Amino acid sequence: PRAEQRHAADHYFDCVQLYNIKNNIAERIPSRMPVLRDSIGYRYLSLPAGDTATIIAEMTSVKTYNSMLIVRLIKENYLPGYNALTMAKQKDMDILTYTICGLMLMMIFFSLANYVQGGNNEFLYYACYAFFTGLMLFLARANTMYATRANFLIEGYLDFALHVTGYCFYMIFMRKY
């Protein structure tokens, strides 16, 4: 019987290494990834038909509140469809988040208009707050469920830095206003 080509999926885990346990000894499975935008989240497994195996995964979680592990065995030719279905489930949250980002953009325009008309520097701080908060929301939503190095950086560090920066500008705005 021919070997089945399947992949295991994970999101927001870095440095994924699979091991096959044989006779109580862990044998490292070479890391092979499919050709996808977020191929970091998938690993190739091959077992002969009717065979069984004990597989152990060693992973490092990305520093994020979104960490999730979805273990699925997916035939290689179904992988693009599975990936598209996973992304399609996020559409409702996309609409909500992009609407909020649009509101943040309107807040920026309103604040800049107030600054131009009145010359109050406080509104520049408020515009910066809205910009950094809107950028944080946009980047988080635009890359949700993609397991890429850039997304790991955004979810792990940049997201927090943008949130803190926006919050600091808001506190300055509150004090000056």
Side-chain angles (χ1 to χ4, degrees):
R2 70 180 184 81
E4 291 288 337
Q5 296 178 356
R6 298 181 185 260
H7 293 81
D10 63 72
H11 301 281
Y12 304 120
F13 288 90
D14 198 5
C15 303
V16 177
Q17 181 57 58
L18 300 178
Y19 297 92
N20 189 2
I21 305 298
K22 290 184 180 176
N23 300 324
N24 290 333
I25 297 174
E27 294 179 8
R28 185 174 185 263
I29 299 173
S31 290
R32 281 186 45 204
M33 296 175 265
V35 181
L36 285 174
R37 175 181 175 193
D38 61 346
S39 63
I40 295 171
Y42 297 93
R43 292 295 180 272
Y44 173 79
L45 294 173
S46 180
L47 292 174
D51 196 6
T52 61
T54 302
I55 308 293
I56 294 178
E58 177 184 25
M59 299 178 275
T60 305
S61 178
V62 174
K63 204 175 216 184
T64 179
Y65 59 89
N66 285 337
S67 292
M68 69 167 60
L69 177 64
I70 303 171
V71 178
R72 300 276 190 266
L73 295 178
I74 306 162
K75 284 190 174 188
E76 192 165 17
N77 54 336
Y78 294 126
L79 195 55
Y82 172 78
N83 206 32
L85 181 64
T86 302
M87 298 305 152
K89 291 179 181 178
Q90 302 295 319
K91 290 299 178 196
D92 289 341
M93 284 302 294
D94 287 351
I95 292 169
L96 177 65
T97 304
Y98 292 143
T99 301
I100 293 171
C101 287
L103 291 172
M104 295 300 239
L105 188 60
M106 292 297 111
M107 290 168 57
I108 293 169
F109 291 150
F110 179 76
S111 298
L112 292 177
N114 275 332
Y115 170 72
V116 169
Q117 288 179 348
N120 297 336
N121 289 338
E122 297 87 14
F123 289 106
L124 287 178
Y125 296 122
Y126 192 78
C128 288
Y129 153 72
F131 172 76
F132 285 110
T133 304
L135 183 62
M136 175 197 69
L137 291 171
F138 177 79
L139 288 176
R141 195 72 231 156
N143 292 306
T144 296
M145 301 297 288
Y146 286 111
T148 61
R149 298 274 177 219
N151 194 25
F152 290 169
L153 177 67
I154 291 168
E155 282 290 328
Y157 301 100
L158 187 60
D159 195 32
F160 180 72
L162 290 172
H163 184 76
V164 168
T165 304
Y167 185 76
C168 288
F169 276 113
Y170 188 73
M171 289 295 108
I172 295 170
F173 165 74
M174 292 295 289
R175 293 196 66 188
K176 300 270 183 189
Y177 193 71

